[in-house]
Amino acid sequence: QVQVVESGGGLVQAGGSLRLSCAASGRAFMIYAMGWFRQAPGEEREFVAAITWSGGNTYYADFVKGRFAISRDNAKNTVYLQMNSLKPEDTGVYYCAQDRFPRGGTRSRPVDYDYWGQGTQVTVSS
């Protein structure tokens, strides 16, 4: 059974940084693309960033380009989201997810991911 577990959320002031981690187990981590999504209260879940199975390609939502960076360590079965220059509008629950198909590209639709973590809360104060 696949398990996806996020960590690293918290409360930070605007302009600050956080690094989220996501550990996945249960199937060959190194052949699946991974993605980060977020959901603010009353809003739909939205795409943040994705990384291919090899780590060779990344894809970002426009609103995080230049501020966030996704990376992965296949030896540790872990994907990271480095978040810099945080804004209050970045507040939300951040979810990590594993692509539905092996060796896929970077996808931005939630339906393209089949295993999700429980989420980690990120709160950015002004």
Side-chain angles (χ1 to χ4, degrees), residues 10-102:
L11 173 64
V12 64
Q13 288 188 330
S17 298
L18 281 174
R19 189 175 84 152
L20 305 183
S21 298
C22 168
S25 61
R27 64 183 180 185
F29 177 84
M30 67 177 64
I31 63 170
Y32 287 89
M34 300 292 293
W36 285 97
F37 293 76
R38 70 186 188 187
Q39 188 167 19
E43 302 290 331
E44 292 189 352
R45 193 168 298 188
E46 63 180 354
F47 170 75
V48 175
I51 187 167
T52 53
W53 57 277
S54 66
N57 286 296
T58 57
Y59 178 52
Y60 297 94
D62 287 343
F63 53 77
V64 303
K65 284 181 181 178
R67 300 190 298 125
F68 291 10
I70 187 171
S71 61
R72 66 189 296 158
D73 184 341
N74 285 342
K76 296 182 178 180
N77 287 4
T78 301
V79 63
Y80 304 97
L81 185 68
Q82 177 67 44
M83 305 187 295
N84 300 324
S85 302
L86 282 161
K87 306 175 181 180
E89 51 263 44
D90 293 319
T91 294
V93 179
Y94 282 69
Y95 297 92
C96 177
Q98 192 169 66
D99 196 296
R100 187 175 297 276
F101 300 109

